[in-house]
Amino acid sequence: MISWGISANSHDAALAVFADEKLVFASHSERYSGVKNDRDLCKGIVADAKRFGNPGRIYWYEKPFKKTLRQLFAGQGWRRRDNDIEIYMARYEIDAPITYVDHHHSHAAVGYYTSGFDDACVLVIDAIGEFETMTIWQGKGTKLKKLWSRSYPHSVGLFYSAMTQRIGLKPNEDEYITMGMAAYGAHRDYLHSMMNDFIKDSEEFKFKRNLHRGCQDWRPDLTITDSFEIAASTQLMYEILFRNALDKAKSLSNSKNLVLMGGCALNCLANRFTGSYFDKTWIYPNPGDAGSAIGAVLAEHPEWRDYTDWSNNFLGYDMGMRTSNKDIVTYLEENKICGVARGKAEFGPRALGNRSLLADPRGNNIKDQVNAIKQRQEFRPFAPAILEELVHDYFDMPDGWDNSRYMQVVASCRYPELFPAIVHRDSTSRVQTVPNDGSPFRQLLEMWYARTGCPMLLNTSLNIKGKPMVNNHADARNFERHYGVKVFN
Amino acid sequence: MKKIINFLLTPWHKWQAKRAFAKRLKELRERDPFIYK
């Protein structure tokens, strides 16, 4: 039987397909519609999913009635019809029985059941589920048990989003820019003010005001020039709350393994602290709401975890492979920059080698050259992809992190002067370690190392500014035409 | 006479009120101040 897991009708819609017990496809709707963080499914993704057959059952990542109640409680009106998933699915001519799973249960399930742990503490932090904003679970065998939760309006995720909006960025989307800006500010300037104005109890994660409507009125004396300071204070405030959350998780669970999930798990700067509390950490490569498309299915069928290989995250549209690694490396040596779009697309926010813009990380002007293509803010660095066994020669990995295969944590670079393009102002990099798994990207990196003696490449997502990542051949051709950069398939 | 005209126009008034309410609701939704929908 074909089962679909869906996360949609909120932000960053995604769809996962299980054929019998095995996961065969998962992708973001944005890759097909061309609308970044698309909130709805689109015809393209539904058609691609239907290649495997029509769904016999749909697993929805949250409980719509509870969400409607929360929206009413929040003052957003009675949105029962907006949250009617049968009507929603009828738009795409899908008529199948629907099973609803709690929002945080979906998060916890995809994290725990893909972790490979048989015993773990699961910490979920996001903006809002139906009501819950932070939960702690105990995973044992195939069972997940909720130990603790904090509910709306107290939300660490909403605090971060509200601050993102306060500094003029888009909430629910640009939080990663806030994190990048943090390295440029002096931490303590506004931390005290934030503590006083927002935090009621930092150990119980209670806030003095509801930040669901943002905090645009907070400190009107601060202008756009103070943005970096606000970002730095916000990041530090988040790290304080995050460490308290880790403390709480540790006190409630006797497990040595941590599974971290929810949108806040994308904060790779704060993630470096997990090793101080737990021996091992697992974060699913797509820890936000999109990943819950898989979680909704696994929450109902934990035993299905054994039928899928979770060692990589290439689950999307398959573009096939035409060019040899030798041609790509030769081109890179001569031209320094090229795109790679081949194989199955990554299911997650990071390009991990199948939809990547690659460049030689050495030299002072490579960052400007890549930025001329990507047109990102100048203060944001790019990420390196390095052979996993050599990561410790070039980076000091944080405690408890031997590798970072999905760019989930920052590490200090030992030679920032040699690789300025991939190092942030604080000498850290959001490093991707590429394991020896025989994948095409691993082989490419090995060949690059053999030819140049440099074991890493600059790796950033292959997308036109303001658009989602390249998904198919047409997108790749568009990218080539738009920027005049060669994209290899 | 006025009463008769008003009586005859009742469905029209009702429809107008309904339309105004829908328009207002749409405006409110578009100006939704909530960060997380």
Side-chain angles (χ1 to χ4, degrees):
Chain A
M1 188 177 84
I2 300 294
S3 308
W4 284 12
I6 298 178
S7 147
N9 202 22
S10 177
H11 65 99
D12 207 5
L15 196 157
V17 180
F18 283 75
D20 295 327
E21 293 93 3
K22 191 175 189 290
L23 177 64
V24 289
F25 172 83
S27 185
H28 296 252
S29 180
E30 62 167 22
R31 309 275 162 87
Y32 291 83
S33 68
V35 179
K36 204 170 179 191
N37 292 325
D38 198 349
R39 70 187 298 279
D40 292 313
L41 295 176
C42 64
K43 282 183 179 170
I45 193 170
V46 172
D48 218 9
K50 275 188 177 176
R51 284 183 299 125
F52 301 96
N54 282 326
R57 179 163 286 277
I58 290 171
Y59 296 85
W60 191 261
Y61 80 119
E62 62 184 6
K63 296 207 166 160
F65 186 66
K66 274 167 97 176
K67 183 179 173 179
T68 309
L69 287 181
R70 190 258 297 156
Q71 286 172 327
L72 184 68
F73 174 69
Q76 291 169 279
W78 182 249
R79 296 186 169 187
R80 183 76 187 109
R81 200 173 163 78
D82 293 347
N83 294 324
D84 190 323
I85 307 308
E86 282 176 18
I87 294 175
Y88 183 84
M89 291 313 298
R91 279 197 226 169
Y92 308 99
E93 294 165 7
I94 301 292
D95 180 21
I98 304 172
T99 302
Y100 301 102
V101 180
D102 267 327
H103 188 107
H104 274 233
H105 190 192
S106 306
H107 276 309
V110 67
Y112 176 62
Y113 296 125
T114 60
S115 66
F117 299 140
D118 260 339
D119 165 60
C121 174
V122 186
L123 173 62
V124 184
I125 314 174
D126 69 358
I128 321 172
E130 293 92 354
F131 278 96
E132 287 167 331
T133 59
M134 186 191 290
T135 47
I136 298 170
W137 304 69
Q138 176 68 51
K140 218 166 184 81
T142 54
K143 297 262 183 281
L144 259 175
K145 186 183 166 196
K146 196 195 296 175
L147 301 176
W148 178 89
S149 74
R150 173 63 59 225
S151 289
Y152 179 83
H154 307 287
S155 168
V156 177
L158 276 182
F159 162 74
Y160 209 93
S161 291
M163 282 299 161
T164 300
Q165 190 188 38
R166 176 66 187 82
I167 57 180
L169 299 168
K170 201 171 172 191
N172 258 335
E173 202 172 308
D174 288 343
E175 281 76 7
Y176 64 101
I177 303 179
T178 309
M179 187 178 67
M181 288 167 73
Y184 288 83
H187 282 149
R188 290 191 173 77
D189 287 14
Y190 304 120
L191 184 69
H192 192 65
S193 182
M194 272 178 198
M195 277 275 199
N196 279 340
D197 296 341
F198 297 122
I199 309 294
K200 193 173 175 184
D201 184 344
S202 66
E203 286 174 8
E204 284 300 314
F205 315 99
K206 288 191 171 173
F207 288 76
K208 283 180 182 167
R209 59 181 276 191
N210 184 352
L211 293 162
H212 195 178
R213 288 169 189 256
C215 59
Q216 301 274 47
D217 57 336
W218 180 70
R219 294 284 304 262
D221 54 308
L222 303 181
T223 59
I224 193 85
T225 50
D226 301 302
S227 296
F228 288 96
E229 306 293 335
I230 298 175
S233 304
T234 302
Q235 179 64 27
L236 190 61
M237 187 73 245
Y238 172 74
E239 285 174 8
I240 292 168
L241 294 168
F242 181 63
R243 293 180 78 144
N244 287 348
L246 290 170
D247 243 341
K248 190 157 195 84
K250 186 80 185 161
S251 67
L252 290 172
S253 163
N254 52 8
S255 179
K256 289 179 177 174
N257 304 318
L258 173 73
V259 174
L260 184 61
M261 290 299 296
C264 292
L266 288 166
N267 195 315
C268 53
L269 199 54
N271 290 349
R272 69 189 191 279
F273 295 118
T274 59
S276 312
Y277 299 82
F278 293 89
D279 292 352
K280 286 182 183 172
T281 303
W282 166 255
I283 304 172
Y284 183 68
N286 199 349
D289 282 2
S292 294
I294 296 175
V297 182
L298 290 181
E300 290 294 310
H301 299 285
E303 67 284 2
W304 289 6
R305 67 177 177 176
D306 300 330
Y307 294 88
T308 303
D309 172 19
W310 301 106
S311 64
N312 70 58
N313 199 33
F314 302 117
L315 297 163
Y317 180 80
D318 193 352
M319 282 179 72
M321 240 176 93
R322 286 181 203 155
T323 322
S324 70
N325 283 330
K326 195 177 165 189
D327 293 343
I328 299 174
V329 171
T330 308
Y331 186 89
L332 259 177
E333 273 187 306
E334 287 166 11
N335 299 281
K336 305 288 182 197
I337 301 172
C338 76
V340 170
R342 55 186 183 168
K344 287 187 175 183
E346 296 86 349
F347 178 53
R350 310 273 170 254
L352 300 170
N354 279 11
R355 300 289 187 276
S356 293
L357 185 66
L358 302 175
D360 183 348
R362 299 164 297 177
N364 287 323
N365 54 4
I366 197 72
K367 186 175 169 184
D368 295 334
Q369 284 178 35
V370 181
N371 244 336
I373 299 164
K374 295 281 287 186
Q375 296 166 21
R376 303 193 334 181
Q377 294 88 346
E378 277 180 21
F379 57 82
R380 289 170 55 203
F382 294 97
I386 185 169
L387 296 171
E388 191 164 287
E389 63 275 21
L390 295 175
V391 67
H392 298 288
D393 296 344
Y394 290 84
F395 296 95
D396 290 319
M397 295 296 283
D399 286 347
W401 290 82
D402 285 336
N403 59 57
S404 167
R405 292 178 182 172
Y406 306 104
M407 296 189 185
Q408 289 164 328
V409 72
V410 294
S412 292
C413 183
R414 291 186 172 185
Y415 313 104
E417 65 289 348
L418 293 180
F419 307 100
I422 51 103
V423 177
H424 204 23
R425 185 190 165 101
D426 53 4
S427 296
T428 59
S429 299
R430 190 183 63 197
V431 65
Q432 177 197 356
T433 60
V434 184
N436 191 4
D437 58 0
S439 67
F441 187 53
R442 167 76 193 196
Q443 289 169 7
L444 190 149
L445 210 51
E446 280 175 0
M447 197 173 281
W448 171 256
Y449 181 45
R451 289 256 195 106
T452 64
C454 172
M456 67 177 108
L457 279 167
L458 181 153
N459 177 12
T460 183
S461 55
L462 191 69
N463 67 308
I464 295 173
K465 187 176 166 58
K467 294 274 181 191
M469 256 192 269
V470 162
N471 192 46
N472 52 31
H473 294 282
D475 294 342
R477 279 196 297 275
N478 276 343
F479 184 90
E480 266 186 344
R481 270 200 296 272
H482 201 270
Y483 292 123
V485 174
K486 179 85 180 151
V487 178
F488 289 97
N489 173 230
Chain B
M1 187 65 184
K2 202 179 168 185
K3 278 186 180 173
I4 295 168
I5 290 171
N6 269 343
F7 175 74
L8 291 173
L9 286 175
T10 302
W12 164 249
H13 287 147
K14 273 190 177 174
W15 179 76
Q16 254 193 338
K18 206 174 161 185
R19 206 181 77 158
F21 178 73
K23 202 175 159 191
R24 170 97 182 105
L25 202 66
K26 196 177 167 216
E27 273 175 16
L28 274 174
R29 292 239 167 111
E30 277 168 6
R31 286 192 284 116
D32 195 343
F34 293 92
I35 293 173
Y36 194 94
K37 314 294 179 206

